[in-house]
Amino acid sequence: MKITIETIGDNISVNIKAPEGTSRADVSATMSLALASTVASVIPADAPSAARMKAASSLADMIATAVKQNFLEVVTGKAGKAAVFTDKEAAFLSKLMGL
């Protein structure tokens, strides 16, 4: 699976290329793990285990709050427009935009 996220003007474009039969749940799980991995990378690997867990728990709470807020803004239209393109649409738009 390949997920490309980019900002185009004021909009966010998410292009997903995945094998046929890939579920939205699989895409969501992949994006969630990518977010978790990115955020977790800021916690020093050599920090004591208790400190790592405390930092991880605090970061997880902040991320959960931010994701919920973002979700609500997308659902209510307050976040502006977001576009998700999969497979053929993504390939066509990539070719069209010279990406």
Side-chain angles (χ1 to χ4, degrees):
M1 177 183 322
K2 179 179 180 182
I3 301 172
T4 305
I5 303 169
E6 59 187 331
T7 302
I8 301 174
D10 292 335
N11 297 322
I12 295 174
S13 172
V14 180
N15 297 309
I16 302 165
K17 293 183 183 179
E20 189 171 327
T22 301
S23 69
R24 287 185 184 261
D26 290 341
V27 173
S28 296
T30 301
M31 293 179 75
S32 179
L33 284 171
L35 173 61
S37 297
T38 300
V39 174
S41 70
V42 304
I43 301 171
D46 59 352
S49 180
R52 286 181 56 77
M53 289 306 295
K54 186 173 182 177
S57 181
S58 294
L59 283 168
D61 290 342
M62 289 188 289
I63 291 167
T65 299
V67 168
K68 181 178 180 180
Q69 186 61 41
N70 289 340
F71 178 80
L72 293 172
E73 288 176 4
V74 167
V75 169
T76 60
K78 293 179 182 175
K81 295 183 179 180
V84 177
F85 303 105
T86 59
D87 299 325
K88 291 179 184 176
E89 296 167 323
F92 171 76
L93 288 171
S94 292
K95 195 179 288 186
L96 181 67
M97 299 177 88
L99 302 174

